Amino acid sequence: MRFFQFMAVSLVGIMSLVACGDDGGTTQTGPGAALKCTSSNKNAFDTYGVTAFVAVNEKIFELATAELTGNGTANLGTSFNDVTDFPTFKGRLAAFLVFAYGGPTKITYTDGVSYDGPQDMAAIHAGMAITPAQYDYFVGTIIVPALTASGVPMADVSSCFAPTIVDPAFKASIVGQ
Amino acid sequence: MKRWLGATGATLGVLTIAGVLVHLPPVQRAMGWRNAAGEVICPIGFTPERTTLRATLEEAARDGARPANPQPALGFTLDRTTRADLVTWAARHGVRCSEQHGGATLQCLDVPAVALGGDGLAANAAWFELDAAGTVQRIKTSRRAAEVAPVAAWFRATEQALASRAGVPTLATGDASDAGLARGAFQQAMVEHRTRGYRAVVRATNLGDGYLLTESYAAVPL
């Protein structure tokens, strides 16, 4: 289902906008780096580490897949036809999540490939025409459950993950492009 | 007497051979003996009965793969409501719908609550997922409100309705009270109900700039 591909890409874009125009240097920090988790008073990456971010990333794809397949209805089998390079897609999303929440600008994902965190998503969002309802649905049914299912307490979800995603400028950069 | 017995035997032999021949599919095809479905048939009339029986068995098998009871969802019935029903419904309520994914999904925007069997929050969007036969298999909705109260109230009312029909939820997380959802961005309450051939998931989420209620009702193949 192209919608969920768009939405997953949008998640990257949500947090990458701040990075647009940056030079990708090692001193660069993501938009969520300054946010403090309630549980630790540290940012999300310092609190949970790369292993947890990989888990959240995998959960996002798991939930998106479950949503796409619709419990084995007729949509199964055609849902992912638009995604041509899934490993890269996952690696890029993971790299951005890590970067956006206070981690390094580059990671090596589980496929052994190195991915850059700061990403310019403007070109990717162009022409997608993501609606507010689609965006909201993706956040409510994929992103939040992925965080909580991965063991992030609600208090931390609200304090050190949500602000980056709910930022009006971020949302405006994704919806209606 | 001997001649009579021989003639009778010969006649019976010819009839037997003829009886066998008329039941050979190549002969039936050659003679053009076909029923309405295009299947070759016995001209004497037994095959149609057998075909009907087979059709009955096939229909029973199909029904066996369906949920035992009709599964209502937002005024529709999963695995029963058809694309034609949706078109009629949309016209009756003045709802704008468009086909997506080659017709596998019907997306309807700005759907009044009353069109979804309720009275309260309108849906920003409703998605109807159909199978190859054009029957609704899954319905998802997205409703938004600036304040927590209507979303929390809708969540609790929906959960109550589901519980009365499907029993205790198979999964329930989060605090669905007004205060619980208003505690911060991404606070979320969720319930899931699973019964034979049916799955319903309802979520209320604080999006930071408003509140979202999503519902998903799916016919689950048995």
Side-chain angles (χ1 to χ4, degrees), chain A:
Chain A
M1 214 179 269
R2 184 183 292 272
F3 162 63
F4 283 101
Q5 181 191 2
F6 290 174
M7 289 289 97
V9 170
S10 300
L11 177 70
V12 178
I14 284 169
M15 293 166 284
S16 64
L17 186 67
V18 165
C20 293
D22 287 339
D23 62 6
T26 54
T27 58
Q28 189 177 354
T29 57
L35 298 170
K36 305 297 183 190
C37 294
T38 302
S39 67
S40 63
N41 203 35
K42 295 187 289 189
N43 69 36
F45 185 77
D46 289 342
T47 302
Y48 292 99
V50 70
T51 303
F53 273 78
V54 169
V56 169
N57 191 57
E58 292 292 327
K59 196 69 182 176
I60 287 169
F61 279 86
E62 177 191 326
L63 293 175
T65 301
E67 181 72 27
L68 289 164
T69 55
N71 297 314
T73 63
N75 291 333
L76 181 65
T78 61
S79 301
F80 290 95
N81 286 357
D82 293 329
V83 181
T84 56
D85 188 354
F86 235 89
T88 299
F89 191 39
K90 291 173 82 170
R92 293 187 69 201
L93 177 56
F96 189 79
L97 290 173
V98 166
F99 165 72
Y101 286 108
T105 57
K106 187 184 285 284
I107 66 165
T108 299
Y109 199 56
T110 54
D111 58 357
V113 177
S114 181
Y115 295 97
D116 291 325
Q119 297 164 32
D120 182 356
M121 291 290 107
I124 294 177
H125 289 114
M128 288 189 173
I130 295 167
T131 68
Q134 289 171 332
Y135 178 89
D136 291 345
Y137 195 88
F138 185 74
V139 170
T141 63
I142 305 294
I143 301 303
V144 178
L147 288 165
T148 55
S150 299
V152 180
M154 264 299 176
D156 281 2
V157 171
S158 291
S159 60
C160 58
F161 283 96
T164 305
I165 297 176
V166 303
D167 186 297
F170 284 162
K171 183 172 178 179
S173 74
I174 304 302
V175 173
Q177 296 297 314

Side-chain angles (χ1 to χ4, degrees), chain B residues 2 6 11 19 34 61-62 70 77 90 115 140 144 151 156 187 210:
Chain B
K2 195 174 179 182
T11 302
R34 294 176 183 274
R62 282 196 300 272
T77 305
K140 299 180 293 185
R144 220 182 194 285
V151 167
R156 292 191 294 266
Q187 292 291 314

